[in-house]
Amino acid sequence: MPEKGKAAGKSLLPGKIGGENIPFHIAIIMDGNGRWARKRGLPRIAGHKRGMDTLIKIVTCAHALGIGALSLYAFSTENWKRPALEVDFLMRLPEEYLRKELDRLMEKDIRILAAGELGQLPSRTQLAIEEALIKTGKNKGMILNFAVNYGGRSEIIRAIKDILLLVRKGQYREEDISEDLLAKHLYTANLPDPDLLIRPSGEVRVSNFMLWQLAYTELWFTDTLWPDFTEEHFLQAIRDYQARDRRFGNIQTKA
Ligand code: V0D
């Protein structure tokens, strides 16, 4: 992982965005694909295809800016309720994404991580994700963390059960249980918490995404649907972030 705090120096877009205080970790809820399609009388699948194009653009942009990590909400534990044909289509997208992008990810030294209950995915999807993790596993640049079959509450429950088992085995004592220890048992162990969450499509909520990790994250919303989301929106979110004063619960210290 690139070192936290080093991102600014790597910015390849000077002038477009100040090098100071670039967020290290940005989380995005890639929402609004279905609505984008419906507005055009297209099948929802067409919206997901366009959502994939946006994803590819934003990954390129984030890399060029020297962002350290991108976490992308691709499929929630609630998304199983969608029509079976749509779910089947979505389950092929990890494979599709790799077919299109693996060479570029290797070139750019980008490492893929996955967060979520991967064991419940179709085996083809699991295999594609496994392949992504292994093939990019030695890359040292930007982290691309895909949340697939992910739910924030269930992530916390898993961590608690993990810890409970280790306490029973005598590996931890009850006194060892702390925020840091719990964080180490989340899917995002080793990743710093997101600095900025971007949610397109006009919904103003976090929808069970990275609940623990978002405690002090700056939130940025836009009505733009994910397929219409551009580099300019991404840059605007970062500029707005840079103008905010993050206090982490502390008091204001300067005028
Ligand atoms: C659909 C728009 C990449 C939002 C982007 C299984 C929704 C395209 C992946 C991906 C999806 C996941 C894991 C991985 C590599 C790529 C992906 C899903 C949906 C759900 F290791 N895009 N993408 N996964 N969409």
Side-chain angles (χ1 to χ4, degrees), residues 30 33 48 51-52 55 74-75 90-91 93-94 97 112 125 129 132 146 148 226:
M30 301 187 288
N33 304 302
H48 296 311
M52 171 83 81
L55 166 66
F75 192 87
L90 288 167
M91 288 301 143
L93 290 182
Y97 179 77
I112 291 186
T125 312
I129 295 174
F146 283 104
V148 180
W226 179 247

Side-chain angles (χ1 to χ4, degrees), residues 6 9 11 33 38 54 85 92 123 142 170 173 187 227:
K6 286 262 175 87
S11 174
N33 304 302
R38 185 153 45 88
T54 303
L85 279 175
R92 290 165 196 271
S123 50
M142 187 171 80
R173 293 160 304 160
Y187 296 118

Side-chain angles (χ1 to χ4, degrees), residues 100-211:
K100 273 194 176 144
E101 291 302 303
L102 184 63
D103 288 353
R104 232 175 316 226
L105 296 176
M106 297 310 291
E107 240 170 63
K108 296 188 160 143
D109 204 24
I110 295 172
R111 179 175 179 194
I112 291 186
L113 295 179
E117 213 46 74
L118 304 183
Q120 294 170 0
L121 298 170
S123 50
R124 269 187 73 177
T125 312
Q126 284 188 50
L127 278 169
I129 295 174
E130 275 300 317
E131 192 186 328
L133 299 179
I134 292 168
K135 288 194 170 155
T136 66
K138 291 200 165 70
N139 291 349
K140 297 282 182 273
M142 187 171 80
I143 301 280
L144 250 194
N145 178 38
F146 283 104
V148 180
N149 197 21
Y150 173 91
R153 288 184 175 177
S154 93
E155 176 186 40
I156 295 169
I157 297 296
R158 269 183 83 258
I160 292 170
K161 288 183 174 172
D162 254 28
I163 293 170
L164 193 59
L165 188 69
L166 293 169
V167 170
R168 277 218 209 89
K169 288 194 197 158
Q171 234 169 295
Y172 297 139
R173 293 160 304 160
E174 186 179 335
E175 311 87 80
D176 297 331
I177 300 175
S178 65
E179 292 185 11
D180 280 348
L181 184 73
L182 196 132
K184 284 199 184 89
H185 288 269
L186 300 174
Y187 296 118
T188 48
N190 305 320
L191 259 183
D193 290 340
D195 301 296
L196 170 64
L197 170 76
I198 296 175
R199 177 154 201 180
S201 93
E203 311 297 344
V204 186
R205 48 181 174 255
V206 297
S207 298
N208 208 17
F209 189 42
M210 298 182 92
L211 288 184

Side-chain angles (χ1 to χ4, degrees), residues 194-197 216-220 241 244-247:
D195 301 296
L196 170 64
L197 170 76
Y216 293 104
T217 302
E218 296 288 332
L219 310 178
W220 193 89
Y241 168 87
R244 291 185 196 177
D245 169 31
R246 297 186 78 198
R247 292 194 304 222

